[in-house]
Amino acid sequence: MDNDVSYFFCGIGGSGMLPLAMIVQARGAAIEGSDRALDQGRTPEKFDWLRAHGVVLHPQDGSGVRGGQIVVATGAVEDTVPDIGAAKRVGAEIVTRPQLLSQIFNAAPTSVGVAGTSGKSTITGMIAWILHQAGRAPTVMNGAVMRNFADADHPFASAVVGGADLFVAEVDESDGSIARYDPTVAVVSNISLDHKSMEELRDLFGGFTGRARTAVLNLDNVETAALAQTMVDDGRAEAVLTFALGNEAADYAAHDLRPLPAGMTFDLTERSSGARIAATLNVPGAHNVANALAALGAVRALGVSLEEAVRSLETFGGIRRRMEVVGTANGITVLDDFAHNPDKIAATLKTLHAFDGRLLILFQPHGFGPLKLMKREFIETFAGLLKPDDVLLMPEPVYYGGTTDRSVGSEDIAAGIRAEGRNAEALHDRAACGDRIVELAKPGDRIVVMGARDDTLSTFAAELLGRLGA
């Protein structure tokens, strides 16, 4: 990266752009940017914070772009976006977010890339916290706010600025950019249908792990287990670390899982040393135990002691919007959750159903494309995991314009779930879903607000809590 020029981030408020901008700024570059949410008056506190931290903000109309700048675009930004058109007119260099992030990542002498369909942000946060506690001063790029690093001055702590010699990043396969990363340690939590075909995903993840010194892979997932076996068959057994729940063949395994109201306890075994250690997490769900095993494998590959890593995990505070409790009013608890694909939704429902109480779920799909691609999987997941008295409410998917195929909508999913004997309603917008939830809610219920790509979901969850307590 070039510290002598200004970087202009198009969509600077996004979950992937904001932390990257902060890392680039910390390395000495001037930062400017624009965001559609800023123009629309959404999440003003985020943009106030950016201004207070030296970021110059502009309308997303092309007026802020100058020649000589490096304009950073997300993969989702089309050429019709005014800032991109302006950059081309004035001859500014245009790079994508994955291009810039991978350049910084690959320049680090030691790097950890965390990939997979589900669990990336949590695993990245766990690795970050363990390495921080171990005094390793990592620089971390996450796609979500890490609660351990958040404070009054850093409310949007999705990045940690440490040294240049150790870089930890969440790596995305949805746009194919995972092919750009050359990690020292590659973590793959799981592989399942999300944005690309399984054939494409196998190629992408196979290349990612093949370029790594060590690959940390999940034996409980068919695809990642097959990836581990392929590496062994190719003569790279020494480069593979595996993890699993209850599988003695795994290098890191969890046994005797015991759910707590806000966490988990389990026994951890490390195959190489024969160690067996009692472990506690203060984040709930078996899926978070699996995330913890992935993180342990990664930090052990970097030389952190097992005991030190387990102690650090006990104080891991979780990731914002991962089953985050917003509050309780009149006996009704409201939770804010990032779940947006079938795997994540299944993990949330299984965790919440470990305890009594009806679920009232608002699920706002994060796009028409994923809804069409995974229509059958969405229906099967909700129909299979909703209990008879649970209620699912769905507004239409997030849509900010563009040429997306809108032929499959929320009613298509809701109708399929109803056909399987479960309660699902598709209403015209989120406000109507909120009204319906308030109408249905009674003491003992848990309301879950699910969805991605929309920061206002957290505001919506807080507003629901306020209405319930009125």
Side-chain angles (χ1 to χ4, degrees):
M1 55 172 283
D2 188 344
N3 293 341
D4 296 326
V5 301
S6 165
Y7 283 76
F8 187 101
F9 285 77
C10 183
I12 194 167
S15 61
M17 292 292 252
L18 189 152
L20 181 57
M22 294 300 96
I23 289 171
V24 172
Q25 184 189 56
R27 297 191 175 193
I31 302 298
E32 300 184 37
S34 68
D35 200 287
R36 186 163 40 193
L38 171 66
D39 297 346
Q40 296 169 350
R42 292 186 282 125
T43 60
E45 66 284 350
K46 179 184 293 185
F47 299 107
D48 290 343
W49 182 85
L50 283 167
R51 290 189 191 96
H53 284 75
V55 176
V56 178
L57 297 176
H58 303 273
Q60 198 170 84
D61 59 6
S63 61
V65 177
R66 306 184 304 277
Q69 285 183 318
I70 295 176
V71 176
V72 187
T74 69
V77 171
E78 299 174 355
D79 288 351
T80 53
V81 172
D83 288 335
I84 304 303
K88 292 179 177 179
R89 287 193 300 273
V90 301
E93 180 182 352
I94 301 172
V95 299
T96 66
R97 173 191 168 275
Q99 285 175 322
L100 180 58
L101 175 58
S102 61
Q103 288 168 10
I104 300 171
F105 181 93
N106 293 337
T110 303
S111 58
V112 182
V114 182
T117 308
S118 303
K120 293 187 291 290
S121 296
T122 299
I123 295 168
T124 302
M126 288 175 166
I127 292 170
W129 185 238
I130 295 168
L131 292 174
H132 174 78
Q133 291 289 90
R136 299 287 290 271
T139 291
V140 184
M141 167 75 200
N142 205 336
V145 174
M146 297 170 283
R147 294 166 65 92
N148 286 96
F149 297 100
D151 56 30
D153 194 46
H154 300 90
F156 308 105
S158 46
V160 176
V161 177
D165 59 336
L166 176 55
F167 200 102
V168 181
E170 178 179 334
V171 174
D172 193 8
E173 82 288 344
S174 66
D175 58 2
S177 62
I178 188 174
R180 296 181 173 276
Y181 296 84
D182 301 322
T184 308
V185 178
V187 180
V188 183
S189 59
N190 44 59
I191 304 172
S192 62
L193 189 67
D194 194 354
H195 294 86
K196 292 185 176 294
S197 71
M198 288 307 303
E199 291 75 16
E200 290 176 289
L201 292 172
R202 289 175 188 129
D203 286 343
L204 288 168
F205 284 110
F208 178 63
T209 54
R211 295 188 297 275
R213 185 185 72 196
T214 304
V216 182
L217 300 167
N218 181 5
L219 291 186
D220 288 332
N221 177 261
V222 172
E223 293 291 338
T224 47
L227 190 55
Q229 188 59 52
T230 297
M231 292 184 69
V232 172
D233 293 343
D234 289 344
R236 297 199 64 210
E238 78 289 344
V240 178
L241 287 176
T242 58
F243 63 94
L245 302 181
N247 186 340
E248 295 289 350
D251 292 296
Y252 296 92
H255 312 269
D256 301 325
L257 276 65
R258 299 169 293 279
L260 305 171
M264 297 288 290
T265 63
F266 61 97
D267 290 340
L268 165 71
T269 57
E270 182 180 56
R271 190 161 63 97
S272 63
S273 66
R276 188 179 186 101
I277 301 176
T280 299
L281 293 179
N282 284 300
V283 287
H287 64 292
N288 274 322
V289 176
N291 291 337
L293 296 177
L296 287 168
V299 300
R300 290 290 284 140
L302 297 178
V304 177
S305 76
L306 186 64
E307 293 77 10
E308 186 174 20
V310 170
R311 280 199 308 273
S312 296
L313 281 174
E314 290 182 5
T315 57
F316 174 68
I319 301 295
R320 193 156 294 162
R321 296 208 68 233
R322 282 9 178 225
M323 278 186 284
E324 183 176 9
V325 175
V326 181
T328 300
N330 291 320
I332 304 163
T333 298
V334 178
L335 299 103
D336 189 16
D337 192 59
F338 184 69
H340 61 277
N341 65 34
D343 275 1
K344 290 182 172 71
I345 291 165
T348 293
L349 295 181
K350 288 175 183 177
T351 299
L352 293 174
H353 278 147
F355 298 93
D356 293 335
R358 180 176 69 156
L359 300 182
L360 302 178
I361 302 162
L362 177 130
F363 171 51
Q364 178 177 283
H366 66 293
F368 282 95
L371 206 60
K372 182 176 181 180
L373 177 67
M374 296 179 282
K375 175 183 174 182
R376 179 175 59 84
E377 289 81 5
F378 277 122
I379 292 171
E380 289 176 351
T381 298
F382 280 116
L385 292 173
L386 290 174
K387 290 191 173 180
D389 59 344
D390 292 341
V391 181
L392 172 67
L393 295 148
M394 294 178 62
E396 282 299 286
V398 173
Y399 179 65
Y400 296 129
T403 56
T404 303
D405 180 353
R406 300 171 67 187
S407 60
V408 175
S410 292
E411 175 56 27
D412 296 290
I413 309 302
I417 296 167
R418 290 196 300 271
E420 298 294 327
R422 290 296 183 258
N423 302 312
E425 304 174 22
L427 303 179
H428 59 279
D429 61 19
R430 196 168 72 190
C433 291
D435 292 342
R436 180 72 171 134
I437 287 172
V438 172
E439 176 188 334
L440 291 170
K442 59 178 187 281
D445 288 344
R446 289 162 299 165
I447 295 169
V448 189
V449 175
M450 285 184 179
R453 289 191 188 165
D454 186 351
D455 289 346
T456 65
L457 282 166
S458 295
T459 304
F460 175 79
E463 289 171 349
L464 272 182
L465 181 68
R467 292 177 67 183
L468 293 166

